[in-house]
Amino acid sequence: MAYHETDHEIGVTVESIRPRHHPLDSATPSVPGPGSAGLLERDGALELLAAETDRALNGSGRLVLFRAPTGTGRSALLEVAAQQGAKLGMQVLRAHASADCPGAPLALVQRLLDAESDPGDLHSAPQTPKLSTHSSRLWRLLCGYAAVSPLLITVDDVHLADQASRNWLTEAARRLTGMPVLMVVTERGQYDITPPRAGLAYTLPPDTVRMHALAPLSRAAAAELVRGALGPDTSDAWLDGCVRAGAGNPLLLRSLLDDLRAAFPYRASDSGGPEPRLPERCAELYPGAFVAAVSWWLKSTGHESTLVARALAELEGSAPQQCDEGRQEDSEQGVGGRGFPDGAGTSDLRPGAAGPGEPDPGLDFVDFLAELTGADPDRVAGWVAAMIRLGLLRRASGTGVPRFAHPLLRGAVLDGWPRSHRQSLHHRAAELRRRRGDGAEAVAGHLLRTSPAGADGGTEPSGAAGGGGPVDRALLDAAAEASRAGRTGAAALYLRRALDEPLPRERRSAVLTELGELEFTTQRTGGIPRLAEALRLQEQPRGRVLAAVNLGNALANQGRPHAALDVLRDLGPLDAEPVLARTVQTASAFFSDHDPEIRRAVHTRLLERAEQSPDWISPALRALLIRYRAAAGALSAASAVEQIRQLLAAPEDPLLVPYLLATAAAVAQWADAPDDAERLVRAGLTEHWLTPLHPVHRSLLDSRADTAAARGQYQWLLEETADKLRTPADAARTGVSNLLAHRVIALAERGRAAEAERLIADIDVEEANDSWELNRFLYARGVLRASLGDPAGALADFRECGRRQLGRDVESLVITPWRSAAAECLLFLGETPQALALAEEDSRYAAAWGTPRVRGRALRVLGAATGGRRGLELTAEAVGILRGTSLDIELIPALVTHGLQLTAAGQPRRARPLLREAATAAERLGAIRLSSSAERALRASGSRRWNTSLTGPDSLTAGERRIAALAADGRTNAEISELLHLALRTVETHLTSTYRKLGIRRRVDLRAVLSSDAEDPV
């Protein structure tokens, strides 16, 4: 063997090297398969190793290069190669490059070949004055090893070696042909933000190197690994979570499984108990191998990739969950979200595919991410695509925005990242979104994740997004935007964060008031602490009065009217401000409606003041006195309406106009002037921009609901009250209201009594506040019980309603006709004398008030209680009064009662037209209960069912009912079409008809209506 030195870096050539005879030459060595090697889906790599090992043993070496991302098993393959090489009699030389030990030039090759170096000195490196001479000596060492026995050289992570060592290995690979040397090298092959240095992969001719890329594990292989570690009975939920968190990366997956075995040594499936939930926070894992593995993976990607990965994880952590009523039901929740509103992180991007000419949301977000981190946009886009292919990222359905495949991955990426760095990222993101022209919520969503300027742990923002003023302005703009969209939960988050900023006194008071308004109906506190602080900050008399009225209204609605009046009294004398003084007095009158004794005392003082100082009493206060006298039965409808009209024409201060409108609307509704009532309600709600904290806001909504109920607009009531009955969870037992009462009655009249029962099942009347709304609720519950065939229970409710109503000086029947309702129950129970007494009393009050609605109802019940010829005359008079008044909801029972009396008197022929008229009117209104009453009366008159039902569940055809049942079970129109072998258009037509007959507009209402019908057949 002769060596010829040259001037090249590796200045040695090999004239002839004959491998000495090896005892295994006669056999064909093979490398065991993946099962015995402990590797999954690495058959191709192992077959390549086997073939190249055979080739080297036969005297012709080559370089084998394994390229793969971090954690995919490069080192494991080298270990298998070394073990099998040693078994086949090859001498094995091994080295592992490390970025932490750069050393001098050729340090890696020195450690690999020079046996004279001290292996205990990890950082030792030869100090050779002439690199080419040292390179030649190392090549001669390699040739010497190869002359003794076939040689296997393994170098792990060659991309971390010093450049001289990489050059040496490259040149050596060119010269391995004809030598019994196999060189197996691993190199990281992963797309990073920072372009990598040129590696060995593409610097050698194909005949000198065999390259093999390692792919991530398939789902099947990952599942096999999971079940092998956690047991064959591992649930699908755990399996799916582990596979997604491991992302097909053997290092990450094995580390996660190690943590899970330590954290959950005894699985529930073994003990028979409920299976524990797979953790979604890294803090739940112990001892933390998974976090360490992800940290190692991040470190290997470089600084820029780490920054982009952490920015993506942090933005994803800011994405919203469905935190309030403004969100779509089927939108995808942000993985690992923390309840932040729309606008933060990825959530401001529109769902769905981009339309023509519109930017793709996913690409737009990638550009945003690149600009935020200062990275090359093309490299960021490439990195995202590469991470999705590897399984560490996925695209959110609908938007295409990238996010981590599992919350554990996201949490591990963020682990150890200082809070100050996260806040700095969000400050930059807020400023960037502002410059890009994104919406106010997109900007403010990032500010939610920051601390106020100058606070501990916070970072001082820069530019337009920084500083107290611009920050709170952005947050307040976002709160207004969210409120307009109906996302009250999001608006409250923005306002709470704005309060952390240094705000001027008046501005802070305004923000507190706005936040108190949002918390008024959604929080257990009712916004009272916010409103109390807002009052404390007010210094000007007008501001103090308005703040006190807001706070008082919140207290009164929580059943604390005494506290509400105390707040107003604490304002002190307002003699110099007569308008403000009258505002306080008017608000006090509204608050007093929540307590019988306070109501009587407040109105008594008003009456005295009106007698003593008539000029001091404003139109709004006079209207309240008219309302009080009308409810007490001391005025006729004509007189009350005339006086109210005069007051509406009189000048009034703008602060008091809403109170006047609300009072006038209530009186107009009592007086059978629904058009006037609706006009007054619209004026109050639209022209004066009343907030829910204003005392008359709720009064106007109640008047609108009362007017709709008087017209029998039950479907409108159900739609209107669907989203207005939300109360804090701990207030469910006492949450009675006028709107709830109307909903209960509407459900009963629409044939959905079972649904109404469920709605009020948890309400405890004994614990409810003793307000006028409790009286309305008792009346509504009585109506429900009567519809369910429980006259005794209904009678108890009606009597209790009357007792409480009389205790409030409400003698008239304009509030609730409890006497007539109780009389009908008594008649059903056979207590005719008591029923007659109540009916006669109600008739006297009806005559005094004088409107068709109360007169017709009272005469109908009095006629039923009286019976005989006189009873027929009274019910006939009731029909005559009500016909032609647009009061069908009162006319229908009058027609039915009169028809039944005619039938009982032997005049069924005269009864049938009246009963058919009643049935037609009931069908038109969708009043299922009244329709059923008319049908029963018709049958009692000897008439056959005059036609099929036009509305309600009974009106559905067999085909409509079958399709409705499938839709109620969650089937889509396409699924129903395929299941029933119908055209899609046919399914749509049937469902449209079904919605009309059932009086619903949404698919989600089908189940409630159909189940109610099944439980309570009419």
Side-chain angles (χ1 to χ4, degrees):
M1 186 179 300
Y3 299 91
H4 300 282
E5 294 188 7
T6 69
D7 292 333
H8 298 293
E9 180 180 340
I10 301 180
V12 179
T13 60
V14 181
E15 289 187 347
S16 64
I17 298 181
R18 302 178 185 275
R20 68 184 181 88
H21 177 74
H22 192 275
L24 296 179
D25 280 351
S26 60
T28 302
S30 62
V31 178
S36 61
L39 300 174
L40 291 173
E41 294 186 329
R42 297 296 180 248
D43 303 67
L46 294 173
E47 289 171 1
L48 175 61
L49 276 177
E52 292 303 318
T53 300
D54 289 346
R55 191 172 186 272
L57 289 173
N58 289 320
S60 183
R62 192 150 48 187
L63 184 141
V64 174
L65 176 63
F66 291 117
R67 299 189 78 244
T70 299
T72 47
R74 300 190 310 263
S75 300
L77 276 175
L78 282 190
E79 185 66 27
V80 170
Q83 291 175 3
Q84 299 309 317
K87 288 181 180 179
L88 294 173
M90 303 179 76
Q91 186 175 359
V92 180
L93 301 180
R94 306 170 69 176
H96 189 163
S98 171
D100 297 329
C101 306
L106 292 175
L108 175 72
V109 183
Q110 168 72 23
R111 291 196 300 272
L112 180 69
L113 299 173
D114 193 355
E116 296 179 1
S117 63
D118 182 6
D121 185 2
L122 297 179
H123 292 79
S124 63
Q127 303 297 325
T128 305
K130 189 174 182 182
L131 189 61
S132 60
T133 302
H134 185 53
S135 174
S136 299
R137 184 178 68 85
L138 293 174
W139 173 251
R140 286 194 294 272
L141 281 173
L142 183 145
C143 293
Y145 285 127
V148 176
S149 70
L151 182 62
L152 173 65
I153 297 176
T154 68
V155 180
D156 204 2
D157 292 339
V158 72
H159 56 283
L160 299 177
D162 61 276
Q163 187 60 48
S165 293
R166 291 159 60 85
N167 292 341
W168 191 96
L169 291 171
T170 301
E171 186 63 25
R174 298 177 188 273
R175 303 173 181 271
L176 292 181
T177 302
M179 297 178 64
V181 179
L182 175 62
M183 189 180 296
V184 184
V185 177
T186 69
E187 184 176 69
R188 184 172 180 274
Q190 181 172 309
Y191 194 101
D192 298 319
I193 304 298
T194 304
R197 296 182 299 175
L200 300 184
Y202 303 105
T203 58
L204 292 168
D207 60 333
T208 61
V209 62
R210 294 292 303 277
M211 187 182 72
H212 183 85
L214 302 179
L217 297 179
S218 67
R219 179 178 178 83
E224 179 183 342
L225 191 60
V226 172
R227 288 207 158 104
L230 301 182
D233 56 347
T234 301
S235 68
D236 291 341
W238 272 61
L239 179 63
D240 180 70
C242 290
V243 169
R244 286 193 294 118
N249 187 297
L251 172 66
L252 302 186
L253 186 54
R254 291 182 187 276
S255 300
L256 174 62
L257 296 176
D258 288 344
D259 281 345
L260 290 176
R261 283 197 298 264
F264 300 93
Y266 303 105
R267 298 285 308 287
S269 56
D270 299 330
S271 60
E275 183 177 56
R277 178 187 56 84
L278 180 69
E280 292 192 353
R281 295 177 180 272
C282 292
E284 300 178 64
L285 296 179
Y286 181 85
F290 181 73
V291 171
V294 174
S295 177
W296 173 260
W297 174 82
L298 273 180
K299 183 178 179 181
S300 71
T301 65
H303 172 73
E304 284 192 285
S305 296
T306 299
L307 178 58
V308 170
R310 284 175 166 167
L312 174 59
E314 180 62 25
L315 295 182
E316 181 184 325
S318 306
Q321 289 184 338
Q322 296 176 350
C323 60
D324 59 26
E325 59 273 20
R327 298 298 306 274
Q328 293 181 350
E329 294 178 3
D330 58 350
S331 62
E332 182 178 358
Q333 295 184 2
V335 177
R338 301 176 186 175
F340 285 84
D342 288 344
T346 64
S347 57
D348 62 306
L349 300 169
R350 300 180 304 277
E358 295 182 353
D360 179 80
L363 295 178
D364 183 68
F365 176 77
V366 170
D367 289 341
F368 173 80
L369 184 63
E371 191 172 357
L372 178 63
T373 56
D376 182 346
D378 293 334
R379 297 295 299 182
V380 173
W383 180 84
V384 167
M387 295 306 102
I388 290 174
R389 185 186 66 81
L390 292 177
L392 287 108
L393 298 181
R394 62 186 177 92
R395 293 196 181 277
S397 61
T399 65
V401 173
R403 57 181 49 174
F404 282 91
H406 194 272
L408 282 173
L409 265 177
R410 188 189 68 82
V413 167
L414 289 174
D415 189 77
W417 203 31
R419 182 169 179 263
S420 59
H421 292 190
R422 300 187 191 191
Q423 293 192 348
S424 177
L425 175 81
H426 282 291
H427 278 303
R428 296 197 308 273
E431 171 62 14
L432 177 56
R433 287 201 182 277
R434 186 197 65 79
R435 291 201 314 267
R436 287 162 54 102
D438 292 341
E441 287 196 78
V443 176
H446 292 289
L447 296 175
L448 290 176
R449 305 301 298 264
T450 65
S451 296
D456 292 341
T459 56
E460 194 73 29
S462 60
V471 169
D472 76 71
R473 187 162 53 249
L475 290 163
L476 295 180
D477 288 346
E481 187 176 285
S483 293
R484 286 192 296 269
R487 296 192 299 274
T488 57
L493 282 176
Y494 298 131
L495 293 175
R496 292 186 190 109
R497 174 61 182 83
L499 289 173
D500 293 335
E501 294 295 318
L503 301 175
R505 190 181 185 95
E506 291 186 2
R507 193 169 191 179
R508 179 173 293 277
S509 178
V511 174
L512 285 165
T513 300
E514 190 175 351
L515 180 56
E517 174 191 332
L518 293 176
E519 295 179 350
F520 178 49
T521 56
T522 59
Q523 299 290 322
R524 181 182 57 83
T525 61
I528 290 173
R530 311 288 188 184
L531 299 173
E533 187 179 354
L535 173 59
R536 180 182 60 80
L537 293 173
Q538 287 290 343
E539 296 177 334
Q540 299 301 320
R542 181 185 175 90
R544 285 184 55 76
V545 167
L546 296 180
V549 169
N550 289 334
L551 175 58
N553 188 44
L555 289 166
N557 276 277
Q558 279 211 338
R560 300 162 62 186
H562 290 278
L565 295 180
D566 287 342
V567 168
L568 298 182
R569 279 193 289 267
D570 288 343
L571 292 172
L574 295 168
D575 298 336
E577 302 283 350
V579 173
L580 296 181
R582 284 193 285 268
T583 300
V584 170
Q585 194 68 45
T586 309
S588 299
F590 272 82
F591 298 160
S592 71
D593 283 342
H594 294 272
D595 183 272
E597 296 301 326
I598 297 177
R599 183 176 186 273
R600 185 178 296 112
V602 168
H603 284 83
T604 298
R605 286 197 298 270
L606 274 180
L607 287 169
E608 294 172 354
R609 187 72 181 265
E611 293 175 358
Q612 297 169 2
S613 307
D615 294 338
W616 188 88
I617 301 296
S618 69
L621 286 170
R622 289 189 182 278
L624 283 171
L625 292 175
I626 293 170
R627 187 188 70 169
Y628 184 84
R629 295 180 62 202
L635 284 178
S636 68
S639 175
V641 168
E642 179 60 28
Q643 294 181 60
I644 288 291
R645 284 175 177 166
Q646 293 176 6
L647 294 175
L648 288 171
E652 180 59 288
D653 189 271
L655 276 180
L656 294 169
V657 169
Y659 296 93
L660 175 59
L661 293 174
T663 307
V667 174
Q669 188 274 318
W670 295 347
D672 289 356
D675 293 338
D676 290 340
E678 288 186 341
R679 177 177 55 79
L680 292 166
V681 168
R682 280 197 303 272
L685 291 176
T686 60
E687 296 177 11
H688 296 274
W689 300 100
L690 301 178
T691 72
L693 282 176
H694 198 289
V696 307
H697 182 269
R698 191 165 176 179
S699 176
L700 290 168
L701 295 181
D702 286 332
S703 292
R704 186 167 64 182
D706 293 345
T707 302
R711 287 173 160 170
Q713 296 173 339
Y714 295 127
Q715 182 57 35
W716 182 91
L717 282 168
L718 292 177
E719 294 173 358
E720 182 68 12
T721 58
D723 297 325
K724 290 186 172 63
L725 299 179
R726 297 182 178 181
T727 56
D730 58 347
R733 299 175 65 233
T734 60
V736 298
S737 68
N738 186 48
L739 293 182
L740 174 64
H742 279 304
R743 184 170 184 83
V744 169
I745 293 176
L747 288 170
E749 295 294 347
R750 295 285 292 181
R752 296 161 61 180
E755 188 177 341
E757 279 190 298
R758 292 192 293 270
L759 180 64
I760 65 173
D762 294 332
I763 293 179
D764 189 339
V765 172
E766 298 301 323
E767 294 187 10
N769 302 322
D770 189 13
S771 69
W772 68 272
E773 291 184 294
L774 177 58
N775 300 349
R776 287 284 183 92
F777 173 76
L778 288 168
Y779 177 79
R781 193 172 71 175
V783 171
L784 174 62
R785 286 177 168 175
S787 72
L788 291 169
D790 180 15
L795 178 61
D797 278 338
F798 293 141
R799 280 177 166 167
E800 181 62 17
C801 170
R803 185 187 69 79
R804 291 175 181 270
Q805 200 163 295
L806 293 174
R808 304 172 65 83
D809 297 334
V810 179
E811 299 280 348
S812 176
L813 69 169
V814 295
I815 307 298
T816 56
W818 66 271
R819 296 184 186 88
S820 294
E824 289 184 287
C825 292
L826 287 167
L827 285 175
F828 191 88
L829 295 171
E831 302 289 342
T832 303
Q834 294 183 43
L836 184 59
L838 282 175
E840 288 174 343
E841 186 178 3
D842 224 20
S843 182
R844 289 194 296 271
Y845 281 111
W849 184 246
T851 59
R853 177 162 47 118
V854 296
R855 287 179 58 209
R857 182 195 303 124
L859 288 171
R860 168 178 64 82
V861 178
L862 180 60
T866 302
R869 182 183 297 275
R870 179 57 181 161
L872 271 173
E873 293 173 354
L874 291 172
T875 54
E877 184 180 358
V879 170
I881 290 173
L882 291 168
R883 185 174 271 138
T885 60
S886 300
L887 293 171
D888 284 354
I889 202 64
E890 295 294 345
L891 174 62
I892 294 167
L895 289 168
V896 171
T897 302
H898 189 51
L900 287 172
Q901 286 183 321
L902 287 172
T903 299
Q907 305 177 57
R909 289 181 178 273
R910 291 182 56 193
R912 289 166 191 159
L914 299 175
L915 296 175
R916 290 192 178 105
E917 180 185 353
T920 300
E923 293 282 2
R924 184 172 61 251
L925 287 177
I928 306 301
R929 188 173 70 92
L930 290 177
S931 177
S932 299
S933 298
E935 291 294 336
R936 288 194 296 269
L938 266 173
R939 288 194 293 271
S941 71
S943 173
R944 292 177 297 177
R945 185 175 177 86
W946 67 286
N947 72 352
T948 57
S949 179
L950 301 177
T951 61
D954 290 340
S955 68
L956 299 180
T957 65
E960 289 171 343
R961 182 174 289 275
R962 184 165 58 251
I963 291 173
L966 291 172
D969 287 338
R971 304 270 189 172
T972 65
N973 290 1
E975 290 172 339
I976 297 172
S977 172
E978 183 178 356
L979 189 64
L980 299 181
H981 304 289
L982 296 173
L984 183 61
R985 181 63 179 170
T986 302
V987 174
E988 294 169 349
T989 301
H990 277 65
L991 281 176
T992 300
S993 175
T994 299
Y995 294 165
R996 177 184 58 78
K997 291 181 179 181
L998 297 181
I1000 61 177
R1001 294 185 180 181
R1002 300 183 302 174
R1003 196 183 195 95
V1004 294
D1005 293 331
L1006 277 172
R1007 182 181 292 275
V1009 176
L1010 295 178
S1011 63
S1012 177
D1013 174 57
E1015 295 172 11
D1016 294 275
V1018 178

